[in-house]
DNA sequence: ATAATAAGCGGAGACCTCTCCGTTTGTCAA
DNA sequence: TTGACAAACGGAGAGGTCTCCGCTTATTAT
């Protein structure tokens, strides 16, 4: 499961490259017009003037397509994050974690639709591996939690805690807080910190 | 959204009642045979010898059907939980929370497939209200968290924290820990407690 | 230039969820 | 008993995801 080889093979046939561009253009256009959620793979294929088979050959599902569309923004996000982590490396881990979350939540607000599109995998999704974005985020979270909690055997497992926090950052949980509970991004950030960063580590 | 009026109207027409039973029998049979995930609404309708329209008239989707199938077990679960909460009412809230989670995780292991069926709502699911089980669980969690944290304005919001924990108990998050991370139910329980119960409140 | 070949194409079709609506059928009151 | 009538039925069909497979085409070696 999950090749996630989203880098198009170096030597792409000319017609294939052209179709890839058509797909991307069509998707961006329709997403912009009707919203990611409302647009089906069929519609994209039609708009791109290719057969459904061709579309599915390149992107196994809508999730992969969304991933491709958001890739560059994700790279920029992590550039920002790494830069901020470096710039505040003297700060306690709790503070840096808060910064990281701040960056991500801002990103999540801007890219809400595509992120949701990425996470809506259709039923045959079994063990649900993380998509690259969440993988990379997970890595950083683990690092920070290890700094906060150490690696003592009896304590919280940093990987576990990172998993929990990551779930809280996913579309389903986040949008429920935003829409169902009516919380602002700032409130959510605050509550996430209170929930996942121990009191002692939250001090500036 | 979400009537969740799962109680069949008191005066049910005879043919309707009969069909309801056929549906339930068919579903139980097919679920047992092939697994919840693998069985489609169509197959259930066919097995029950009714039209698709009739099936969908009673259950708006597979999730509702699963809810109906699990209803009695859920009632028993909460009987157990309330009894245990009552029996240990002198114990600190952290301990009672641990007990509650223990009950739920045991239940979740036994009913894994139906629970997953309940949560797999198809795309047109917007604000994703909790199903009754999770609503009731949420209530209890809020109560316990309020006991643990108080209701001071600057602190963690108990509703928020209950939401986070509830997400961690959902199929997606839980099954990922079980299968993706290979954790045992016991380990998960332990980690959940370490993650969501502050150190001071975890003392016996 | 040409032939061989693998990659890419695209549509038919399997199967799904869910809706609409004309027809049938219990139920209840007269 | 018999209508009246709302409730329930069931199937056609819209629209979705995704696969399969015979045909086309770009590429690359000769």
């Amino acid at each position: 499961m999950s090749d996630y080889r989203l880098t198009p093979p170096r030597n792409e046939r000319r017609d294939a490259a052209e179709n890839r561009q058509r797909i991307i253009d069509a998707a961006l256009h329709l997403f912009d017009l009707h919203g990611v959620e409302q647009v089906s793979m069929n519609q994209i294929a039609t708009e791109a003037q290719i057969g459904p088979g061709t579309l599915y050959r390149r992107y196994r599902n809508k999730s992969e397509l969304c991933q491709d569309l958001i890739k560059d923004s994700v790279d920029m996000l992590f550039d920002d994050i790494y830069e901020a982590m470096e710039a505040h490396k003297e700060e306690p881990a709790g503070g840096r974690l808060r910064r990281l979350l701040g960056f991500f939540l801002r990103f999540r607000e801007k890219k809400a639709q595509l992120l949701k599109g990425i996470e809506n995998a259709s039923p045959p999704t079994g063990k649900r591996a993380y998509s690259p974005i969440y993988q990379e985020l997970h890595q950083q979270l683990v690092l920070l939690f290890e700094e906060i909690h150490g690696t003592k055997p009896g304590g919280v497992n940093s990987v576990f805690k990172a998993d929990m926090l990551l779930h809280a950052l996913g579309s389903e949980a986040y949008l429920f807080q935003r829409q169902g509970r009516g919380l602002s991004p700032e409130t959510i950030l605050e509550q996430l910190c209170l929930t996942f960063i121990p009191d002692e580590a939250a001090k500036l």
Side-chain angles (χ1 to χ4, degrees), chain A:
Chain A
M1 168 133 302
S2 321
D3 284 21
Y4 279 139
R5 47 93 204 91
L6 279 190
T7 15
R10 204 71 308 267
N11 273 9
E12 200 181 19
R13 244 169 69 168
R14 202 180 62 254
D15 52 351
E18 186 183 319
N19 278 332
R20 191 163 51 79
Q21 197 53 53
R22 299 167 82 88
I23 291 171
I24 290 173
D25 291 347
L28 285 177
H29 179 222
L30 291 177
F31 285 174
D32 185 55
L33 214 55
H34 305 117
V36 174
E37 194 105 29
Q38 306 306 318
V39 176
S40 74
M41 290 294 267
N42 266 349
Q43 287 170 48
I44 295 170
T46 302
E47 169 89 9
Q49 293 182 284
I50 60 175
T54 305
L55 176 51
Y56 278 100
R57 142 172 281 271
R58 194 155 316 263
Y59 299 106
R60 281 204 290 273
N61 47 53
K62 205 167 136 189
S63 172
E64 282 198 0
L65 173 52
C66 289
Q67 252 170 75
D68 208 14
L69 293 181
I70 214 179
K71 193 153 55 77
D72 291 351
S73 305
V74 169
D75 288 345
M76 292 178 53
L77 167 67
F78 281 106
D79 285 349
D80 289 352
I81 287 179
Y82 293 135
E83 185 186 317
M85 294 298 105
E86 185 63 24
H88 299 86
K89 60 161 69 157
E90 310 302 343
E91 194 177 1
R96 270 172 292 147
L97 177 49
R98 188 191 193 98
R99 286 182 196 277
L100 187 156
L101 292 177
F103 275 109
F104 180 72
L105 291 192
R106 222 172 359 260
F107 177 80
R108 149 155 240 70
E109 285 289 323
K110 208 171 321 188
K111 300 291 179 181
Q113 293 201 21
L114 281 176
L115 281 175
K116 190 166 182 196
I118 287 177
E119 293 170 52
N120 277 358
S122 316
T125 305
K127 319 189 61 170
R128 177 63 144 276
Y130 287 133
S131 61
I133 311 142
Y134 288 108
Q135 276 179 36
E136 193 163 358
L137 211 43
H138 188 267
Q139 259 181 1
Q140 293 306 306
L141 293 178
V142 170
L143 256 38
L144 288 167
F145 278 130
E146 278 177 351
E147 210 174 312
I148 292 176
H149 294 109
T151 320
K152 38 189 176 187
V156 221
N157 184 316
S158 296
V159 169
F160 184 88
K161 203 163 176 182
D163 282 336
M164 295 302 110
L165 179 47
L166 215 48
H167 265 289
L169 296 175
S171 292
E172 190 175 324
Y174 184 77
L175 293 180
F176 178 70
Q177 294 303 320
R178 288 286 275 131
Q179 295 161 20
R181 299 284 185 222
L183 301 191
S184 69
E186 293 73 26
T187 305
I188 295 177
L189 173 57
E190 182 60 28
Q191 291 294 321
L192 284 173
C193 290
L194 287 169
T195 301
F196 288 98
I197 306 179
D199 293 344
E200 327 84 65
K203 305 275 186 290
L204 289 191

